[in-house]
Amino acid sequence: MRNADTMIMKLSKNILSVFICCICLISLSSCRKKQSNPANIEENLIKTKHTWYYFSEGNYIKTDKIHNVPNAVQKPWTEAVRISSAVIESEQNNGIPKGFATINHLGILVFQGESIHLYTDKEIFNGRTAGNLVFANNTPFFSVYKSTFFNETKSALQLKHPFLVQFNPEQNILYPVIEVENLGLESSAEINDFIFDGQYWTCSIKNSTDEKIDFSYITFQTKEDINLITPYDAEKMIHISSSDTDSFRNAKKPKDFSNAPERLKNLLATIPASIDFSVTVANASGHTPRTFIRIGKNNADSNVLTAKAIISDTWAACLFNDGTLYLQGALYNKNILNGGKTLGIRLPKLPQNFTYGDFVISGTMLYSSWEETSFYKTQRSGFLSVDLNRTLYKR
């Protein structure tokens, strides 16, 4: 639903209307998904100690109930202030592992236990869609771009045209590492997606004119530690080669759930075989998340549930967009939960047209994004914090 660019390739005169129609069909399918439940978890099986936050006026604001979040103007998902991706670092680092979340047009959230900090940079985030959080050499990196469909500042003079941005967790600063021009691209090009496998960065490039939209693909590899690269010397420190549509699509294509990591399969083993789902899983301090899908022989893929999952050093978790959370293992500095068996939790029920999305767990605190959607647009958005220590260990 979120990757609209792949649906509009090579369309010209009627591109916007076709785009919206495609999005509508996907959104209607998504609405049907929300009616299903991956497991029969009682609503009050585990009562959560939680707090709501929403985005407004360039910050996040605490509220007692999600129903009290003020109305917001609907915007295309690329232009809305919303959490667009989230990752966690490995427990091998010192202290409570941090969680990170990019926020469109705003900045990056850093979670560490009960601590929440927002770091902004107007020059980097102004008018830009942010996402694709990954780790390289134990450091968070993410991409930014301007939507050629909805961004009104696209034609404005750009002194800088960043693509890949690094967040330094020790100094809490953001700075561009590679700009679009460093990759030999025109200033009008936008890298709207990429895949990082730990060695190679494969990029989808969107070239827009008044007459048409074209896509091209490249792969690059850094010759030196990427943490040392800057836009001033990036061209000398990266090796670029061409790629193609099939290579990129095959890398992004969901794999059958039988090929999923064993820890993920064990985590979701209790879900009845009659329920189909698609889960995007990331590893702590890992690279681009992978998507796996489970479709039964007699079921239609229109009712596939969607979820996000994280495999950490000592625990694994999966959150479906209706708030059903599966958790297995031991949280940071805590005992193993439920004898090592999967534990099911129901997060607070959301109003109609609201869904949960990306999440992180830092220490014993869970932070999950939520947003109100209507087709390809987002209205209200924010995140929920859940105290898993009080919820699971002090019942």
Side-chain angles (χ1 to χ4, degrees):
M1 178 176 176
R2 293 305 190 196
N3 194 355
D5 292 324
T6 58
M7 303 188 326
I8 58 174
M9 185 182 302
K10 298 182 180 180
L11 297 181
S12 53
K13 295 182 180 180
N14 297 323
I15 192 165
L16 183 58
S17 60
V18 174
F19 164 73
I20 293 177
C21 288
C22 291
I23 288 291
C24 290
L25 291 174
I26 293 176
S27 299
L28 288 173
S29 174
S30 177
C31 290
R32 288 195 293 270
K33 298 174 192 175
K34 298 172 190 175
Q35 298 174 1
S36 302
N37 188 351
N40 296 321
I41 296 178
E42 297 178 12
E43 199 68 35
N44 295 317
L45 178 63
I46 296 178
K47 294 183 178 180
T48 60
K49 173 65 176 178
H50 60 270
T51 304
W52 297 99
Y53 299 88
Y54 66 93
F55 297 120
S56 180
E57 300 179 356
N59 209 336
Y60 64 94
I61 301 173
K62 183 178 179 180
T63 185
D64 57 345
K65 297 179 181 179
I66 193 170
H67 296 279
N68 293 335
V69 175
N71 285 328
V73 177
Q74 282 190 347
K75 294 183 179 181
W77 68 269
T78 59
E79 310 310 304
V81 176
R82 53 179 290 274
I83 290 179
S84 52
S85 60
V87 296
I88 63 167
E89 65 181 0
S90 171
E91 292 186 8
Q92 297 175 5
N93 296 324
N94 295 326
I96 299 175
K98 295 178 181 178
F100 307 88
T102 51
I103 312 170
N104 275 356
H105 301 261
L106 184 56
I108 185 167
L109 278 168
V110 179
F111 307 99
Q112 188 171 30
E114 297 181 2
S115 172
I116 308 172
H117 292 285
L118 171 63
Y119 299 96
T120 62
D121 188 307
K122 292 183 179 180
E123 188 171 350
I124 292 176
F125 287 92
N126 183 27
R128 291 189 173 95
T129 301
N132 286 326
L133 260 171
V134 297
F135 274 82
N137 295 339
N138 214 32
T139 302
F141 289 83
F142 62 93
S143 62
V144 292
Y145 72 96
K146 289 196 174 185
S147 169
T148 54
F149 261 114
F150 303 114
N151 196 296
E152 298 178 355
T153 66
K154 179 67 182 75
S155 59
L157 179 63
Q158 293 178 305
L159 298 178
K160 292 185 177 181
H161 195 176
F163 150 58
L164 195 64
V165 180
Q166 176 187 141
F167 177 74
N168 187 312
E170 296 180 357
Q171 300 176 358
N172 295 321
I173 58 175
L174 296 131
Y175 52 89
V177 175
I178 298 175
E179 295 180 349
V180 169
E181 291 79 4
N182 296 140
L183 299 174
L185 305 175
E186 298 291 335
S187 59
S188 60
E190 294 290 347
I191 301 176
N192 65 311
D193 199 4
F194 76 80
I195 302 166
F196 177 52
D197 64 5
Q199 184 176 8
Y200 296 97
W201 306 75
T202 302
C203 305
S204 171
I205 305 161
K206 185 177 178 182
N207 301 280
S208 303
T209 66
D210 293 336
E211 298 179 352
K212 63 178 181 178
I213 292 178
D214 289 322
F215 284 84
S216 58
Y217 304 88
I218 62 170
T219 296
F220 70 87
Q221 182 182 19
T222 58
K223 300 177 182 178
E224 303 290 342
D225 185 344
I226 193 170
N227 297 58
L228 304 176
I229 296 177
T230 70
Y232 301 103
D233 56 17
E235 294 180 22
K236 301 177 182 178
M237 301 179 74
I238 56 179
H239 175 72
I240 304 172
S241 59
S242 61
S243 186
D244 55 57
T245 305
D246 290 340
S247 297
F248 189 82
R249 287 181 175 176
N250 288 336
K252 294 283 289 187
K253 184 178 179 181
K255 305 299 188 296
D256 189 89
F257 190 70
S258 62
N259 298 314
E262 288 300 319
R263 289 179 64 188
L264 181 64
K265 288 192 286 188
N266 291 336
L267 176 69
L268 303 181
T270 58
I271 298 180
S274 59
I275 295 178
D276 302 331
F277 57 82
S278 172
V279 54
T280 300
V281 57
N283 292 330
S285 290
H287 312 312
T288 297
R290 298 162 294 166
T291 299
F292 299 93
I293 190 167
R294 189 181 79 173
I295 301 293
K297 295 181 180 180
N298 300 318
N299 296 321
D301 58 8
S302 61
N303 291 319
V304 174
L305 302 171
T306 59
K308 297 293 180 71
I310 298 174
I311 297 177
S312 183
D313 301 277
T314 60
W315 55 264
C318 180
L319 177 63
F320 285 84
N321 62 7
D322 71 339
T324 303
L325 175 71
Y326 290 91
L327 183 61
Q328 188 179 76
L331 299 183
Y332 180 74
N333 278 349
K334 291 291 182 179
N335 297 326
I336 295 177
L337 290 163
N338 200 31
K341 299 178 181 178
T342 297
L343 186 65
I345 306 169
R346 169 72 76 184
L347 298 189
K349 186 175 181 180
L350 294 171
Q352 186 176 5
N353 298 325
F354 286 66
T355 60
Y356 288 105
D358 289 280
F359 74 99
V360 299
I361 298 177
S362 176
T364 58
M365 294 296 296
L366 179 144
Y367 299 93
S368 172
S369 66
W370 60 263
E371 60 184 55
E372 179 184 16
T373 59
S374 176
F375 299 124
Y376 65 96
K377 293 186 177 182
T378 297
Q379 196 162 343
R380 289 171 285 186
S381 65
F383 60 95
L384 170 78
S385 70
V386 178
D387 187 341
L388 294 177
N389 185 43
R390 295 183 61 179
T391 300
L392 303 179
Y393 290 97
K394 295 184 178 180
R395 288 187 286 155

